[in-house]
Amino acid sequence: WLDNNSELYKRFNMFGKTLGLKQIKFGLFKSDDFNAYAFEDIEDQHTVLLAEDMPKVYSTQELDAIVLHELGHLKHKHISYR
């Protein structure tokens, strides 16, 4: 999981709060592909995962766009496991 004190976490969390989302966890996962996922669990915990190499390869603006896209899925309930 991203450290809550990291600049990346703080920026991503600010986006989520701006969209009215609460309790967002951001993490990185091992993958040969560059991909991102968003999901919500049964306790309304929102999670966004990025392939671990994405922050090393993409610019700040590109990462922001990817995370905002995933947060949009959560905001509009495109992904919900209930």
Side-chain angles (χ1 to χ4, degrees):
W1 299 108
L2 290 181
D3 178 352
N4 291 5
N5 294 315
S6 73
E7 289 305 312
L8 202 58
Y9 175 87
K10 289 177 184 177
R11 197 170 68 252
F12 293 168
N13 195 51
M14 178 195 62
F15 297 151
K17 286 184 178 184
T18 299
L19 292 171
L21 299 171
K22 298 176 185 170
Q23 296 191 2
I24 306 167
K25 288 173 53 177
F26 296 96
L28 304 175
F29 67 96
K30 273 194 175 296
S31 177
D32 292 333
D33 300 320
F34 286 176
N35 212 336
Y37 301 98
F39 55 92
E40 176 183 83
D41 69 17
I42 59 173
E43 297 174 353
D44 291 331
Q45 171 67 58
H46 297 110
T47 303
V48 174
L49 299 175
L50 302 172
E52 67 180 347
D53 289 335
M54 290 174 76
K56 300 172 193 167
V57 174
Y58 289 110
S59 71
T60 300
Q61 293 83 6
E62 290 168 325
L63 279 176
D64 290 353
I66 292 165
V67 169
L68 284 164
H69 173 87
E70 296 304 323
L71 291 173
H73 287 305
L74 295 170
K75 171 74 176 172
H76 296 289
K77 303 283 187 191
H78 295 163
I79 300 168
S80 184
Y81 300 103
R82 294 184 186 249

